[in-house]
């Protein structure tokens, strides 16, 4: 139900950089930990691609899908 999310990631190759894509947005350089804020309710997918020091992108990037649910009003 949280509109915030935090992800950590790493590569087995020293000197690698990362590119992240959230939902349908363009890939952008990113670092770990990646903190996402103010996510809208609904389904989301984060894809993280490692890029080695020679510029080769991982052919099987890591991804995670989740859903932000609407918060129920507090009773009281």
């Amino acid at each position: 139900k949280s509109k915030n999310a935090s992800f950590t990631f790493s590569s087995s190759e020293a000197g690698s950089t990362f590119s992240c894509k959230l939902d349908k947005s363009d890939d952008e350089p990113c670092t770990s930990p990646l903190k996402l804020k103010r996510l809208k309710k609904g389904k989301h997918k984060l894809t993280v691609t490692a890029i080695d020091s020679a510029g080769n992108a991982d052919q099987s990037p890591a991804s995670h899908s989740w859903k932000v649910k609407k918060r129920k009003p507090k009773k009281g």
Side-chain angles (χ1 to χ4, degrees):
K1 296 179 183 177
S2 177
K3 293 183 178 184
N4 300 326
S6 180
F7 295 89
T8 57
F9 41 89
S10 61
S11 172
S12 59
E13 291 192 39
S16 292
T17 59
F18 299 95
S19 178
C20 294
K21 178 181 175 105
L22 178 63
D23 301 329
K24 296 180 181 180
S25 67
D26 292 333
D27 283 290
E28 294 187 12
C30 58
T31 57
S32 180
L34 176 66
K35 296 181 187 282
L36 304 174
K37 296 181 179 180
R38 297 185 299 273
L39 293 164
K40 294 182 180 183
K41 69 179 179 175
K43 295 179 182 179
H44 297 283
K45 181 177 181 180
L46 176 68
T47 303
V48 179
T49 304
I51 304 163
D52 68 15
S53 57
N56 301 307
D58 185 346
Q59 295 301 305
S60 56
S63 67
H64 180 74
S65 297
W66 75 101
K67 184 176 184 180
V68 175
K69 296 180 180 179
K70 184 177 181 180
R71 290 183 183 246
K72 293 181 181 178
K74 291 183 179 180
K75 295 179 181 180

